Amino acid sequence: PVRRVHARQVLDSRGNPTVEVEVTVGEGVIGINGYTGRAMVPSGASTGKFEAVELRDGEKGNYGGLSVHRAVENVNTRLAEAILGENALNQRFIDHKIIETDGTDNKNSVGANAALGVSMAVARAAAAALRIPLYQYMGGCHTGRMPVPMMNILNGGRHADNTVDMQEFMIMPAGASNMEEAIRMCGEIYQCLKIILKQKKLSTAVGDEGGFAPDLEDSEKVLELIMEAVKKAGYEPGKDIYIAIDAAASELYDKDRNAYVFPGESLMKGKEILRDSEQMIEYYERLLDQFPIVSIEDGLEEDDWEGWKKLTKYLGARVQLVGDDLFVTNIKRLSCGIRQKAANAILVKVNQIGTLSEALDAVEMAQKSGYRVVISHRSGETEDSFIADLAVATGAGQIKTGAPCRSDRNAKYNQLLRIHEELGELEIYENPFV
Ligand code: PGA
Ligand code: ZN
């Protein structure tokens, strides 16, 4: 049973406060027979408006309003009371208690950050008590399939202060034969990109997810540089390495003008660049014709179901269309998308929904409906590598967790390297796009 639940405020990768939770389970005296699981909660910057609510104190003069003492308090009181003495091996029941205690649709009472910290820490404690790795605990006998990384090596949008408007440009080492090789390929390309940027006198400073953040004219320019880096590292674009994009289009969308505004591109070209939903689709089509892009995330904004249907109809057979802000790891929104044939993949971020069980429900619904699954970090991360285990446990086949740079990102890749070693011959590493 759960013997102790304790939360504290710690810092995330952006230097903002976040919630850390420790849960101790076991019989007898804690410390002698107890097993403790610890988890830290991530935080987004380009958050979808339908996400579960992250509780922040909003107190002036306290981390600019971002402190999370109320969420910490909710863990230490309401959530602790709800789960103390309960069976930690019954994750679904624990998560049900969390949801019941919160009592709202979007976790705004206890806070999704409080809820998720408890949910993840319970899973860790349970795995520790059974003395098995977390990915095995969450995945049972299904585990073995490694996720192909989507490594965000060039950051823009809300994750950097450069002129790149789309948020993420990622490389996918789909041609690798295992996780270790996949990470090596990306690491080499990342270093080659750095050399190329330096040679061109462009900035090699990095954004929130560890990718470089130079000022560049437009997306074509970004993709050309990435192609150059792939080749310089000795890999073949379209065979060894594919490209994925997260446009994070909800952030570009201006409701009053009913258009997507590209401020960086406008600045660089000296004229305003606006695109409506149709033009966005044409724009993606142009990019697909020129570059080996296999995945486009949040290509349109989160309310534009009609646009998403069109996007999926026109490009869905050619490319993976991932709903992040569109689905927010929520089965209600996902089932709506599946019914309407909007998108063909889901991005799963555990803190968008607030409990592990609900995130697993979203994975299951997607997998049963033929939608692909990408397990994802947030732009605000911690050294917690929970999602690496989750990606292996669910056999999702893809993980998005930033550049091979910044320890908050590498924590996940390093955990995948450990799992790779542990799985040995049982590892399955497959290109999800063939
Ligand atoms: P966020 O960005 O964590 O800032 O929301 C990640 C994403 O959009 O995928
Ligand atoms: Zn996204």
Side-chain angles (χ1 to χ4, degrees), residues 17 27 72 122 200 237 245 327 390:
E27 309 292 339
V72 165
V122 165
K200 296 188 192 297
I245 293 175
F327 295 142
L390 183 64

Side-chain angles (χ1 to χ4, degrees), residues 338 343-345 364-373:
I338 292 168
N344 56 28
E364 192 187 327
M365 177 182 280
Q367 286 173 336
K368 280 192 175 148
S369 312
Y371 273 47
R372 291 208 189 94
V373 176

Side-chain angles (χ1 to χ4, degrees), residues 39-55:
M40 299 166 87
V41 178
S43 171
S46 64
T47 45
K49 71 176 180 202
F50 302 104
E51 291 191 20
V53 173
E54 182 180 73
L55 206 61

